[in-house]
Amino acid sequence: MHAWTILWNTTSFPTHSPPKTMKYDLKNKTIIISGATGGIGSAIVCLLINKYECKVFGIGRNQKKFDDLALSLGEKSSLFTPIIMDVTSYDYSALSIIDKADMLINNAGVLPPFSPTIDAEKEEVERVMDCNFFAQVSLTRRLLPVLKNSKCG
């Protein structure tokens, strides 16, 4: 018998179940979302505004996509504030308009190259890590004071 089989058979794993639901009322909250112009990001923006009537600050790089998103929101577009910004620029001056926020959704990201790891160029891996990890940590740190003030972020 292999060591992994023995380990698997003799290791006890937690038997408790995760909570069935989390109770958090999103109604009328103020939410910041990075990557707001992408597919998942824009869908989250629409859900938050249309279903929960949240005020949403959307961070993204593409003005045209922001314009299309605002158009799709119709009369509720007043709940949406686009912020043109590249999170990997680390220039957060555009965020100064946010004085209150209940939640941050770090959604910005880029896909890694679709090639074997051995063939990946160092610069490409650094680009992915910069956007998907380091920029998100930096953005979170920049917005923590605003989130802490809300008492629910």
Side-chain angles (χ1 to χ4, degrees):
M1 195 177 288
H2 293 289
W4 285 110
T5 306
I6 294 168
L7 179 64
W8 180 263
N9 291 334
T10 59
T11 303
S12 62
F13 295 99
T15 57
H16 66 277
S17 300
K20 293 193 185 328
T21 61
M22 289 183 58
K23 302 237 184 235
Y24 187 81
D25 185 16
L26 292 173
K27 190 81 171 164
N28 298 314
K29 298 292 183 190
T30 300
I31 300 177
I32 305 162
I33 178 168
S34 66
T37 56
I40 293 172
S42 61
I44 293 170
V45 169
C46 290
L47 175 74
L48 292 171
I49 291 174
N50 290 323
K51 184 172 182 179
Y52 299 103
E53 297 178 2
C54 294
K55 179 177 181 180
V56 177
F57 290 94
I59 300 170
R61 299 178 295 184
N62 190 313
Q63 181 65 56
K64 169 78 170 97
K65 287 184 178 180
F66 272 141
D67 293 343
D68 292 343
L69 181 55
L71 190 61
S72 74
L73 293 169
E75 63 187 40
K76 292 187 177 184
S77 65
S78 62
L79 293 171
F80 180 62
T81 304
I83 299 173
I84 300 292
M85 188 181 102
D86 181 350
V87 293
T88 61
S89 73
Y90 298 95
D91 175 7
Y92 300 130
S93 58
L95 300 176
S96 63
I97 64 169
I98 304 171
D99 58 357
K100 175 193 177 295
D102 300 302
M103 183 185 295
L104 167 64
I105 300 173
N106 278 317
N107 179 64
V110 294
L111 291 173
F114 293 104
S115 61
T117 304
I118 197 163
D119 298 330
E121 296 293 327
K122 180 179 181 267
E123 293 78 17
E124 191 62 27
V125 173
E126 287 173 347
R127 181 183 75 85
V128 169
M129 289 302 297
D130 189 35
C131 184
N132 296 359
F133 180 73
F134 294 111
Q136 303 308 317
V137 170
S138 184
L139 180 64
T140 302
R141 291 181 60 157
R142 165 57 180 81
L143 291 168
L144 273 176
V146 174
L147 293 164
K148 282 183 178 181
N149 286 340
S150 76
K151 304 284 190 248
C152 70

